[in-house]
Amino acid sequence: MLSQRRKDMASQTEENYLKALYSLSVGKIEVNISELSAALNVSNPTVNSMVKNLKTKGLVKYEKYKPLSLTEKGRKAAALIVRKHRLTEMFLVEKMGFGWEEVHEIAEQLEHVNSSKLFDRMDELMDFPLVDPHGSPIPDRNGNISESAYEPLSKFSVGRKVKLAALGHSSTEFLKYLNSRELSLGTEIEIKSIEPYDGSMVLSYQNHASETFTKAVCESLLVERVG
Amino acid sequence: MLSQRRKDMASQTEENYLKALYSLSVGKIEVNISELSAALNVSNPTVNSMVKNLKTKGLVKYEKYKPLSLTEKGRKAAALIVRKHRLTEMFLVEKMGFGWEEVHEIAEQLEHVNSSKLFDRMDELMDFPLVDPHGSPIPDRNGNISESAYEPLSKFSVGRKVKLAALGHSSTEFLKYLNSRELSLGTEIEIKSIEPYDGSMVLSYQNHASETFTKAVCESLLVERVG
DNA sequence: CTAATATGTTAGAGTCTTCTAACAAATATT
DNA sequence: AATATTTGTTAGAAGACTCTAACATATTAG
Ligand SMILES: [Mn+2]
Ligand SMILES: [Mn+2]
Ligand SMILES: [Mn+2]
Ligand SMILES: [Mn+2]
């Protein structure tokens, strides 16, 4: 028997649109059709018609030629997908021994599995984690999320001691790069110097007395003050 | 970015057809279009066109009005899906604390996840189990499967001592029924008597001195001789 | 303000998966 | 063997998701 998705729930495709819209909405309310196209790697007309579809389902607010935004219903639906994604990533790292650079691809698929049982059990087995392996907060069962208030390392000045708490993005390449520098979440870091020319930072942490990171990298290292 | 399936692999729908065909093929080589329709809960013409599609992909052997069968390529593809299904079921039971009656629905979805990493890790974490929670054998990485030679309990006579090794089918209802009788895999059973009228059996096992099971149930209890 | 550019929409089409209605072949029954 | 029933096929259509080409609107730059 073909296990068919209930008709009242979003298809896998619709879920990916909602999630992309949700990610693009952090820090702003409205999103362009073109931003969505780029994020999802589909054409503009494809997004256009999907947006109309999502509008009829009450998941997005949209008027011709205007930018779009999620409705409350859409926001919650998206947050619940993000919840499944992040719980999965954390489970893969914590309970299955995967590296933080390996889990996104798998979570991208598992996030569409329809089974509260599965994800609630993951949650329970991990004792209800608050963040995923990249430091991003995990929405609760109701789709509520506590936005973290970490700041990019690039904002601080020489001498400051901080702790790496999260990442601005978590592409596989970036994560592998951090692995190669032995930099992981929770690491305490001191800013040794800042190059005025290009904003690159020389950092000291653990058994790395002096490692240089570009400004771009430092903007994606989200930290909290220490001491 | 929409995580799209590689074009050279079977779609989720195609995978479900292959798997159904595979299940229907146990003990016989050829399968009817109508059997497949019934198993997948789709119409006859739908199966007919999908079968043509699978034929062009070299996954099934088929001629108009003749019964169909999997090619070697199709057989292997199906076995690898079954592998993912059964590894998942075992992982859910062994590592996540699910009951054997809860895992099929979840595995039905996870079996379509494209990630050798995930399933090989499950395999490793469980130390390479040979069977799933219902006693069905798990195909290896090459799609090879060792058909188990267990016999239905209904074939034995009074006085025989056996051990429950597998199930002929594993519907949720059947599994819940067995739960209610506290009958699980590995349980040693003695046949106390057989009712000649309807073939029902009175069994003794663990702290159940005398439990009656219908012939239909006993045909689905696959056992091995003990002592 | 006008022209150039960027962004968004419509139209039309193709693939995949499914359906129902109508017809054809094979099998079973009398 | 003739008829009835079961099984399988064809035809035609629909919905979901995607594309490209052409056109429309909005924004940016001179
Ligand atoms: Mn991720
Ligand atoms: Mn996804
Ligand atoms: Mn199963
Ligand atoms: Mn399935």
Side-chain angles (χ1 to χ4, degrees):
Chain A
M1 174 95 79
L2 255 110
S3 81
Q4 52 232 336
R5 197 163 262 266
R6 282 202 333 271
K7 223 201 103 195
D8 63 310
M9 56 183 191
S11 72
Q12 211 162 297
T13 306
E14 290 167 334
E15 287 191 347
N16 282 328
Y17 276 81
L18 290 176
K19 194 163 65 92
L21 203 36
Y22 182 86
S23 309
L24 291 171
S25 301
V26 286
K28 57 183 170 186
I29 317 117
E30 296 182 321
V31 176
N32 286 335
I33 296 268
S34 294
E35 286 179 83
L36 246 189
S37 314
L40 290 165
N41 210 29
V42 295
S43 75
N44 240 324
T46 298
V47 171
N48 189 266
S49 66
M50 178 56 88
V51 163
K52 286 174 180 169
N53 166 42
L54 294 174
K55 185 188 173 175
T56 69
K57 298 194 174 175
L59 295 163
V60 306
K61 277 193 282 286
Y62 164 71
E63 297 303 331
K64 246 191 184 190
Y65 291 107
K66 299 263 174 65
L68 46 138
S69 59
L70 289 166
T71 60
E72 177 48 29
K73 183 181 170 192
R75 207 217 91 260
K76 184 179 173 181
L80 290 176
I81 301 159
V82 169
R83 171 177 164 77
K84 292 192 285 181
H85 183 105
R86 294 184 179 164
L87 279 174
T88 299
E89 289 188 339
M90 200 62 176
F91 187 86
L92 292 172
V93 168
E94 291 290 300
K95 299 293 178 185
M96 295 187 74
F98 283 97
W100 68 350
E101 78 286 359
E102 300 179 289
V103 297
H104 179 81
E105 297 289 300
I106 301 174
E108 200 60 44
Q109 297 180 68
L110 281 182
E111 72 191 0
H112 304 292
V113 168
N114 171 239
S115 169
S116 338
K117 254 188 198 175
L118 175 63
F119 297 101
D120 286 347
R121 181 62 56 87
M122 282 185 187
D123 201 14
E124 197 187 331
L125 288 172
M126 294 186 289
D127 207 16
F128 312 103
L130 299 173
V131 296
D132 81 4
H134 316 109
S136 304
I138 297 173
D140 69 19
R141 275 178 200 71
N142 302 311
N144 298 316
I145 188 167
S146 56
E147 280 305 335
S148 65
Y150 303 123
E151 292 170 278
L153 179 60
S154 52
K155 281 200 175 169
F156 294 89
S157 18
V158 175
R160 168 63 65 195
K161 288 179 183 168
V162 299
K163 190 164 77 171
L164 184 59
L167 303 176
H169 69 104
S170 36
S171 67
T172 306
E173 300 69 37
F174 184 45
L175 296 170
K176 282 184 176 168
Y177 171 76
L178 296 180
N179 282 349
S180 74
R181 301 299 188 92
E182 296 187 292
L183 195 49
S184 58
L185 291 197
T187 301
E188 295 202 1
I189 300 169
E190 185 180 345
I191 303 175
K192 304 303 278 189
S193 67
I194 304 175
E195 171 59 51
Y197 172 60
D198 63 1
S200 64
M201 286 176 151
V202 178
L203 307 180
S204 163
Y205 57 92
Q206 285 175 341
N207 52 342
H208 295 250
S210 174
E211 287 273 16
T212 305
F213 292 87
T214 65
K215 190 180 186 188
V217 166
C218 295
E219 281 168 345
S220 291
L221 298 175
L222 306 181
V223 301
E224 57 188 347
R225 288 156 202 252
V226 160
Chain B
M1 175 95 79
L2 254 113
S3 81
Q4 51 232 336
R5 199 163 260 264
R6 281 201 335 269
K7 221 199 104 196
D8 64 309
M9 56 182 194
S11 72
Q12 214 163 293
T13 306
E14 290 168 332
E15 287 191 347
N16 281 328
Y17 276 81
L18 290 176
K19 195 164 63 91
L21 203 35
Y22 182 86
S23 310
L24 291 172
S25 301
V26 287
K28 57 184 169 183
I29 318 118
E30 296 182 320
V31 175
N32 286 336
I33 296 269
S34 293
E35 286 179 82
L36 246 189
S37 315
L40 290 165
N41 210 28
V42 294
S43 76
N44 239 325
T46 298
V47 171
N48 189 265
S49 65
M50 178 57 86
V51 163
K52 286 174 179 170
N53 164 43
L54 294 174
K55 185 188 173 176
T56 70
K57 298 196 174 174
L59 295 163
V60 306
K61 278 193 282 285
Y62 164 71
E63 298 304 330
K64 245 190 184 188
Y65 291 107
K66 299 264 176 66
L68 47 138
S69 59
L70 288 167
T71 60
E72 178 49 29
K73 182 181 171 191
R75 205 219 94 260
K76 185 180 171 179
L80 290 175
I81 302 160
V82 170
R83 172 177 163 77
K84 293 191 284 181
H85 183 105
R86 293 184 179 165
L87 278 174
T88 299
E89 288 188 340
M90 200 62 176
F91 186 86
L92 292 171
V93 168
E94 290 291 299
K95 299 293 179 184
M96 295 188 72
F98 283 96
W100 67 350
E101 80 286 359
E102 299 179 289
V103 298
H104 179 81
E105 297 289 301
I106 301 175
E108 200 60 44
Q109 297 180 66
L110 281 182
E111 71 192 357
H112 304 292
V113 168
N114 171 238
S115 169
S116 336
K117 255 188 196 174
L118 175 63
F119 297 101
D120 287 347
R121 182 62 55 86
M122 282 185 187
D123 202 13
E124 198 187 330
L125 289 171
M126 293 187 289
D127 207 15
F128 313 104
L130 299 174
V131 296
D132 82 2
H134 316 108
S136 305
I138 298 174
D140 69 19
R141 274 177 199 72
N142 302 311
N144 297 316
I145 188 167
S146 55
E147 282 304 337
S148 65
Y150 302 125
E151 293 170 278
L153 179 59
S154 51
K155 283 198 175 172
F156 294 88
S157 17
V158 174
R160 167 64 65 194
K161 288 179 183 167
V162 298
K163 190 164 78 172
L164 185 58
L167 303 176
H169 69 104
S170 37
S171 67
T172 305
E173 300 68 39
F174 184 45
L175 295 170
K176 283 184 175 167
Y177 170 75
L178 296 180
N179 282 349
S180 74
R181 301 298 187 96
E182 294 187 293
L183 195 48
S184 57
L185 292 197
T187 302
E188 295 202 4
I189 299 169
E190 184 179 345
I191 303 175
K192 304 304 277 187
S193 66
I194 304 174
E195 171 59 52
Y197 172 60
D198 63 3
S200 63
M201 286 176 150
V202 178
L203 307 179
S204 162
Y205 57 93
Q206 285 175 342
N207 51 342
H208 295 251
S210 172
E211 287 275 12
T212 305
F213 292 87
T214 65
K215 189 179 188 190
V217 166
C218 295
E219 281 167 349
S220 292
L221 298 175
L222 306 182
V223 302
E224 57 188 347
R225 288 155 204 253
V226 158

